[in-house]
């Protein structure tokens, strides 16, 4: 995807920081996985046996284990899997250091601290579980609420699907829409004590319970209830409707006799320190990546101070102060990525499905996930960092409200933290797909794309006010743009099939150049000045021009096989350096391959394959970014994988990590300071 070429990158090359391109160094290229870590898939629940030792579980049977409070995680061998499906694990609980239970589409138990797990042969799914000993426990799922008294050997059905909570070995409640039921004999018998409709419950003491009622109609609002008489009567005490998306609460957890926490389907966390009377929001939602009906987040407090939350697209949070503040133990998120852009200050963004956004201020060592908006069926396809504060992104979307702008262009003026949808002037009530966005400054930008409604119309839109308003720039007789770039407000290019479209007057008129590529498919172009540029064909053809497309030099990627390989993204850094991202798939596997050149494309050197056996799709590389002289990032089109190599140094004085201590480090520090980034804590106190 096209990005603005800034002078700092050219300066780095001029300083002599060039890539080493001998064959040995190419083979020795080491890729570091930056996202998603530690989970490579969606998480549903977390449980700790003490403050340091814990587990996280999720989709496709993923099991993570830590012994150091979440600083490091190891992929644990998955639960026994069935050949016909990948089993999600939605709940996990240990009753002591050795005995634990886990459930999802199947239910498992362990008697050796999780070293091995046995499939219990449970008929039905397990959404939630509550075990009060190694023998007695309850499972709630599509088979209703069921009880075992022999460690899972046999089960009896108690009633409808419900949430269960016990205050001790004998006294507990289960809650559901038809009311609250209590047992005083470890669940052998139950009696209805209230008609209050609840979805979740937690004991703070023998008398005080916290309940949550989830509205089962979208957007899934919640209400917090409190009982001071063991569940007989309930009072609504709190609700929070400040978030635009779903607020469906998925877990409520006791911290101590006075404190309790709750988490919603998108990672928003609320805490009460007065036994549920008042509540404060201590963690904002990560982003609406799930529907309100999916139990996507879990909470656990092994001590009154230390707590953990896990869920959503592979995110793990930790608190050290009883839930008042949270830090992110994970990096990145498991949603498909379509574009990535990185700056020499360490600031970068990656964008993709569901208007998902990852941002970093440390060259990708930590990626923070969020979502720009909650418009259904809308995705990002391209992003551009204009400066350290301003980011723009475009993609596919439509206007659900006739008065609303199509969900295809967004702008952030705070480094990717919050986003504003802009689109006045783009045809309303029409589905659009914009493949590329390019700004030459904060105000002047262009969108390249087409309608998705019949009759399909290609279009180039222009803005001169930062994207607030747009006007049709082309003359109505253009091809379908795949990738576009502007040199200034007048001169620009876009690719369309086998043709390069060129303008000298802001798209009022155009000229065309035909490509010498197979089937006329060109995925990307990058011009570094008004004459010099590269173009990338889908089947591996690299074209270079020094005369604005009048003539093309055909360059080849060694080892590229058009039978099994596809080329997706090109990054031109200066007149000599460039990089290309490709993807390979055949019966032997899938992997990504990147190539780079420092001699204008006379030689392209293949870098080490991106091939991680733990995830089939990790090597589906769709986009990349790179620095002149070193530093390269590759983003997968599947499940949020970002791979990096030659990441700049983290030397303390070299604040932007470019290998040189200079005034740019001061600018990078000031940017981090202004955006309240953790890196501004320069002395680490």
């Amino acid at each position: 995807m096209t990005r603005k070429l800034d002078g700092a990158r050219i300066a780095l090359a001029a300083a002599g920081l060039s890539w080493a391109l001998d064959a040995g160094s190419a083979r020795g290229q080491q890729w570091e996985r930056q996202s998603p870590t530690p989970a490579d898939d969606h998480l549903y629940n977390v449980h700790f046996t003490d403050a340091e030792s814990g587990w996280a579980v999720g989709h496709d049977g993923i099991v993570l284990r830590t012994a150091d409070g979440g600083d490091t995680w190891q992929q644990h061998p998955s639960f026994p899997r069935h050949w016909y499906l990948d089993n999600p694990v939605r709940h996990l609980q240990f009753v002591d250091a050795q005995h634990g239970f886990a459930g999802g589409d199947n239910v498992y138990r362990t008697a050796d601290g999780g070293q091995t797990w046995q499939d219990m042969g449970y008929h039905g799914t397990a959404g939630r579980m509550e075990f009060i000993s190694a023998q007695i426990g309850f499972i709630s799922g599509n088979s209703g609420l069921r009880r075992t008294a022999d460690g899972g050997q046999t089960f009896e059905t108690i009633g409808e699907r419900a949430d269960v909570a016990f205050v001790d070995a004998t006294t507990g409640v289960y809650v559901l829409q038809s009311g609250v039921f209590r047992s005083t004999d470890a669940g052998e018998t139950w009696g209805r004590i209230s008609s209050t409709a609840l979805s979740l419950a937690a004991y703070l003491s023998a008398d005080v319970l916290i309940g949550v009622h989830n509205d089962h109609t979208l957007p899934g609002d919640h209400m917090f209830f409190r009982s001071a008489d063991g569940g007989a009567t309930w009072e609504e005490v709190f609700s929070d409707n400040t978030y635009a998306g779903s607020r469906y609460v998925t877990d409520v957890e006791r911290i101590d006799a006075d404190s309790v926490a709750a988490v919603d389907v998108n990672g928003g966390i609320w805490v009460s320190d007065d036994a549920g009377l008042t509540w404060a929001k201590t963690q904002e939602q990560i982003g609406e990546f799930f529907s309100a009906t999916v139990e996507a987040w879990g909470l656990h407090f092994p001590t009154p101070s230390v707590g953990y939350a896990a869920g959503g697209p592979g995110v793990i949070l930790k608190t050290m102060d009883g839930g008042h503040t949270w830090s992110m133990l994970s990096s990145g998120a498991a949603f498909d990525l379509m574009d990535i852009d990185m700056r020499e200050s360490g600031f970068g963004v990656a964008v993709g499905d569901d208007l998902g956004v990852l941002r970093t201020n440390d060259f990708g060592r930590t990626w923070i996930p969020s979502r720009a908006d909650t418009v259904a069926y809308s995705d990002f396809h391209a992003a551009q960092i204009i400066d350290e504060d301003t980011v723009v992104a475009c993609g596919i979307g439509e206007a659900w409200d006739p008065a609303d702008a199509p969900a295809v262009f967004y702008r952030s003026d705070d480094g990717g933290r919050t986003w504003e949808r802009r689109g006045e002037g783009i045809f309303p009530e029409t589905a659009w797909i914009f493949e590329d966005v390019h700004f030459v400054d904060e105000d002047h930008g262009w969108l390249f794309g087409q309608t998705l409604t019949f009759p399909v119309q290609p279009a180039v839109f222009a803005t001169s006010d930062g994207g607030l308003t747009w006007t049709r720039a082309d003359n109505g007789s253009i091809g379908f743009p795949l990738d576009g770039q502007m040199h200034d407000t007048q001169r620009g290019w876009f690719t369309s099939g086998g043709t390069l479209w060129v303008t000298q007057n802001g798209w009022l008129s155009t000229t065309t150049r035909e490509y010498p590529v197979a089937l006329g498919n060109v995925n990307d172009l990058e011009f570094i000045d008004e004459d010099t540029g590269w173009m990338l064909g889908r089947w591996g053809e690299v074209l270079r021009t020094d005369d604005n497309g009048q003539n093309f030099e055909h360059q080849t990627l060694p080892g590229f096989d058009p039978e099994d390989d596809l080329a997706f993204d090109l990054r031109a850094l200066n007149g000599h350096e460039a990089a290309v991202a490709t993807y390979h798939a055949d019966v032997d596997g899938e992997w990504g391959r990147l190539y780079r050149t420092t001699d204008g494309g006379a030689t392209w050197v293949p870098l080490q394959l991106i091939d991680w056996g733990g995830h089939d799709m990790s090597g589906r590389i769709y986009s990349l970014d790179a620095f002149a002289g070193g530093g390269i990032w590759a983003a997968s089109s599947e499940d949020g994988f970002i791979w990096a190599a030659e990441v700049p140094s983290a030397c303390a004085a070299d604040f932007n990590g470019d290998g040189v201590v200079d005034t740019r480090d001061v600018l990078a520090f000031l940017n981090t300071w202004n955006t309240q980034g953790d890196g501004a804590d320069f002395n680490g106190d």
Side-chain angles (χ1 to χ4, degrees), residues 46 253 255 260-263 267-271 280-284 286 297-301 305-310 316-329 678:
V46 62
E253 175 79 5
I255 300 175
V260 60
V263 62
I269 298 176
W270 295 263
V271 173
K281 193 172 189 178
T282 61
Q283 171 66 40
E284 293 296 325
I286 298 298
W297 278 80
L299 274 173
H300 190 232
F301 282 79
S305 297
V306 179
Y308 299 86
I316 303 176
L317 305 173
K318 180 178 181 178
T319 179
M320 298 289 288
D321 56 10
H324 294 102
T325 60
W326 296 84
S327 60
M328 190 172 292
L329 300 181
D678 292 340

Side-chain angles (χ1 to χ4, degrees), residues 561 563-566 583-592 619-620:
D561 182 0
E563 292 292 326
D564 299 310
D565 297 338
L566 293 173
Y583 161 68
H584 173 96
D586 62 17
V587 294
D588 296 323
E590 302 178 350
W591 55 79
R620 290 189 175 182

Side-chain angles (χ1 to χ4, degrees), residues 143-156:
S143 296
L145 179 62
R146 306 178 75 188
R147 177 181 185 266
T148 181
D150 53 15
Q153 299 293 330
T154 61
F155 286 87
E156 63 172 333

Side-chain angles (χ1 to χ4, degrees), residues 209-260:
L209 290 92
I210 303 301
V212 176
H213 173 79
N214 284 315
D215 186 346
H216 291 274
T217 61
L218 293 176
D221 288 345
H222 60 245
M223 295 175 286
F224 289 83
F225 287 78
R226 182 179 187 271
S227 173
D229 55 8
T233 60
W234 296 82
E235 175 189 6
E236 182 183 345
V237 291
F238 176 73
S239 63
D240 184 350
N241 299 327
T242 59
Y243 180 57
S246 171
R247 294 167 291 275
Y248 188 97
V249 172
T250 61
D251 204 6
V252 58
E253 175 79 5
R254 180 185 189 272
I255 300 175
D256 57 32
D258 296 317
S259 301
V260 60

Side-chain angles (χ1 to χ4, degrees), residues 375 378 397-408 421 427-432:
V375 181
S378 297
E398 59 183 290
W400 294 87
D401 184 332
D404 204 358
V408 290
R421 189 193 330 166
F427 306 155
E429 299 184 83
T430 301
W432 282 93

Side-chain angles (χ1 to χ4, degrees), residues 538-560:
R538 181 170 299 180
W539 280 274
E541 305 98 331
V542 181
L543 306 174
R544 179 187 165 92
T545 180
D546 287 315
D547 55 12
N548 197 15
Q550 297 291 340
N551 296 282
F552 297 100
E553 174 193 352
H554 194 282
Q555 302 173 351
T556 59
L557 302 174
F560 187 95

Side-chain angles (χ1 to χ4, degrees), residues 2 438-440 446 448 460 484-494 501-511 513 525 527-532 548:
T2 300
H438 192 245
F439 275 66
V440 296
W446 291 260
F448 301 86
V460 177
Q485 181 182 345
M486 297 296 291
H487 177 68
D488 51 36
T489 59
Q490 298 300 310
R491 293 172 289 180
W493 313 263
F494 72 76
W501 293 72
V502 183
T503 185
Q504 301 290 334
N505 56 11
W507 302 107
L508 294 176
S509 63
T510 60
T511 57
R513 320 270 198 264
L525 84 154
F527 274 78
I528 62 169
D529 57 39
E530 60 269 33
D531 293 317
T532 307
N548 197 15

